[in-house]
Amino acid sequence: MLKNYFKIAIAVLKRRKFFTFISLFGISFTLTILLVLTAFIDKVVNDNYPDKKRDRSLYINKIELRGKESMNSGPLSYYFLDHYLGKMKTPEKVAISSGFNSTNTYVNNRKVVINYKYTNADFWEVLDYDFIEGKAISRQQVTNGERVTVISEDMKKEYFGDDGASAIGKYIEADNVKYRVCGVVKSLPITSYLLYADIYLPITTYKTKLDADKGYMGNFTAILLAKTPADVAKMKIEYEAIIPKLPVPGKEWDHIYSHADSYLEGYVRSGNEQRSGMTYALTAITLFALFVMLLPTLNLVNVNITRIMERSSEIGVRKAFGASSKTLVYQFIVENLILTFLGGIIGIVLSVVVMYFINSAKFIANLNLSLNFTVLGYAIVTCVFFGLLSGVYPAWRMSKLNIVAALKA
């Protein structure tokens, strides 16, 4: 039966080529936009380089002080992370790093912008950076406060040139201080903002004394690594038990909020620590997808209704010979799904072309979009949803056609 429906659908598509072009263009263009957006989101949230132990990790990015008339939210102080997380029993390791800051330096009279980040020794054991040259900053080097650095592959090319020579042992200047290069790692896109930097420095070379400020706010984030995935829930409970016991730092504040989140929860947390940002993110993405699909869907509904009116005599004959309304509705929805999947195939091809140009243009360095099984899965779901959304109403209209009126038409 499906084979017959497919033949009928192809014959209908060939009959009115202009309508077919309009329908396929709307479907493929819509799907291209959604697939490129999906590939971007998938790259941002699912690419696990260099934090390949996400199933054992929790991310602490912010702390919030809230009072009746005021609120202050931001990254945490090194004192807070070192003092309170150091007392936790569940984490195997605690990676602490600063947010990245920028500085300008000059190489052969050419300005080079360097984004630098400070890290502790656990940072290099919790995260699995791909080393192209050299090795990570050692625990001893962190303890001694040695001026060494791990740099990204992109920074090596920009600072030392792309002649293939090793950068290990050479010096790079950042913020008027020279650091000896001990490792070169594969570069990250800036969308991995918690881990991205051009150069990584020992936290003990921080320009101010790390524990001088005993406040909760600062410039640091942390990753808690559990021994096993089963310990993650226990680790989360242990951290969140710490927060209610913290002394409130001033009369203007009533509550302190901070959470140890999964990577995705931490990435989308909106800044309001009382609520996760997951609801906002999912709502925004869903509304955008529905908005993008709305106009093509309405267009396809109109085109489908026009096709139905053209086929009214065929429908009348089939009804006269005993075809039920249910059979006709089923047939038309299947035909519409076939049309949608044809548009989907064109949309996938167009998406590959668009992603190729986006990657070639390097709008965001090191962010290479691609089609994978996750993105293709969303494409299939979108095609089914799109096909049903635009096909159900015309099919229902078709099932209600009166036999006599249909035959007269």
Side-chain angles (χ1 to χ4, degrees):
M1 184 179 291
L2 286 175
K3 186 178 178 181
N4 290 333
Y5 287 166
F6 184 78
K7 288 181 178 178
I8 294 171
I10 296 299
V12 171
L13 294 179
K14 287 181 178 178
R15 189 184 305 166
R16 297 296 297 270
K17 293 178 181 171
F18 178 72
F19 284 159
T20 301
F21 170 77
I22 294 295
S23 300
L24 291 178
F25 176 79
I27 295 168
S28 57
F29 183 72
T30 303
L31 195 64
T32 299
I33 294 175
L34 294 177
L35 279 183
V36 172
L37 175 65
T38 303
F40 176 79
I41 295 173
D42 179 66
K43 181 70 179 176
V44 170
V45 302
N46 287 334
D47 186 5
N48 64 354
Y49 171 74
D51 49 342
K52 299 175 183 175
K53 306 183 187 89
R54 285 185 185 176
D55 61 335
R56 294 165 49 198
S57 300
L58 289 175
Y59 301 76
I60 303 172
N61 303 329
K62 289 180 181 176
I63 191 167
E64 179 181 304
L65 303 176
R66 183 172 284 271
K68 292 180 180 177
E69 298 178 351
S70 55
M71 188 269 283
N72 193 9
S73 175
L76 304 98
S77 68
Y78 179 82
Y79 167 79
F80 177 92
L81 296 173
D82 184 59
H83 182 72
Y84 292 102
L85 302 189
K87 295 177 180 177
M88 293 179 65
K89 296 178 181 177
T90 314
E92 182 181 45
K93 295 182 184 300
V94 179
I96 299 176
S97 62
S98 69
F100 67 81
N101 294 307
S102 298
T103 183
N104 297 331
T105 191
Y106 290 86
V107 180
N108 299 325
N109 296 322
R110 179 172 51 87
K111 186 174 84 171
V112 176
V113 179
I114 298 178
N115 296 313
Y116 59 97
K117 176 190 287 290
Y118 293 94
T119 67
N120 69 349
D122 279 358
F123 182 87
W124 299 103
E125 297 173 7
V126 171
L127 299 162
D128 296 309
Y129 282 86
D130 291 341
F131 277 84
I132 297 164
E133 295 178 27
K135 56 187 179 181
I137 301 170
S138 69
R139 190 170 296 275
Q140 191 63 46
Q141 287 171 322
V142 173
T143 303
N144 295 341
E146 291 185 33
R147 289 178 175 175
V148 292
T149 180
V150 170
I151 67 175
S152 70
E153 187 179 14
D154 286 347
M155 181 49 58
K156 176 198 168 187
K157 291 176 182 176
E158 187 167 4
Y159 198 94
F160 298 110
D162 194 15
D163 57 3
S166 173
I168 303 303
K170 294 181 179 178
Y171 285 84
I172 188 168
E173 184 175 326
D175 207 15
N176 298 317
V177 178
K178 287 187 177 181
Y179 298 90
R180 178 171 54 82
V181 177
C182 65
V184 180
V185 294
K186 178 184 169 185
S187 301
L188 284 170
I190 198 168
T191 49
S192 301
Y193 69 96
L194 293 175
L195 308 172
Y196 161 85
D198 294 320
I199 68 172
Y200 301 84
L201 308 171
I203 203 166
T204 44
T205 61
Y206 203 70
K207 287 201 168 183
T208 57
K209 193 175 179 182
L210 288 168
D211 58 356
D213 182 5
K214 299 292 193 291
Y216 299 150
M217 298 286 185
N219 186 33
F220 293 90
T221 60
I223 303 173
L224 303 177
L225 182 69
K227 291 178 182 175
T228 67
D231 286 339
V232 171
K234 182 180 175 183
M235 191 164 66
K236 187 180 183 73
I237 292 171
E238 186 181 2
Y239 177 73
E240 300 201 347
I242 293 174
I243 304 304
K245 299 176 183 175
L246 293 174
V248 178
K251 294 180 179 178
E252 67 271 35
W253 311 117
D254 298 320
H255 295 88
I256 302 172
Y257 299 99
S258 182
H259 300 282
D261 291 319
S262 66
Y263 180 83
L264 183 56
E265 286 175 328
Y267 197 94
V268 300
R269 190 169 283 281
S270 60
N272 185 337
E273 293 295 310
Q274 296 179 77
R275 295 186 294 271
S276 166
M278 289 292 290
T279 303
Y280 296 115
L282 291 175
T283 302
I285 292 170
T286 303
L287 289 177
F288 178 81
L290 290 176
F291 177 75
V292 169
M293 285 196 293
L294 180 62
L295 290 180
T297 300
L298 292 176
N299 173 63
L300 194 56
V301 167
N302 288 328
V303 171
N304 285 337
I305 290 174
T306 305
R307 287 181 190 277
I308 287 171
M309 300 314 296
E310 287 182 337
R311 298 170 65 184
S312 57
S313 57
E314 171 198 333
I315 295 165
V317 170
R318 291 197 61 189
K319 279 196 167 186
F321 279 90
S324 66
S325 296
K326 183 179 178 182
T327 301
L328 292 172
V329 168
Y330 177 65
Q331 175 191 334
F332 192 81
I333 290 177
V334 171
E335 286 181 20
N336 200 56
L337 284 173
I338 292 170
L339 173 68
T340 306
F341 274 98
L342 287 175
I345 293 170
I346 298 172
I348 290 172
V349 174
L350 288 176
S351 301
V352 173
V353 174
V354 171
M355 288 180 202
Y356 171 79
F357 282 107
I358 290 176
N359 292 339
S360 300
K362 295 184 177 178
F363 292 119
I364 301 177
N366 301 306
L367 187 78
N368 292 313
L369 305 181
S370 62
L371 279 180
N372 54 34
F373 288 115
T374 303
V375 178
L376 285 175
Y378 283 118
I380 293 171
V381 171
T382 304
C383 282
V384 173
F385 182 72
F386 199 27
L388 292 175
L389 197 65
S390 59
V392 169
Y393 176 69
W396 177 80
R397 282 279 302 271
M398 178 179 67
S399 69
K400 298 298 180 185
L401 281 177
N402 179 275
I403 296 177
V404 176
L407 290 173
K408 283 183 177 178

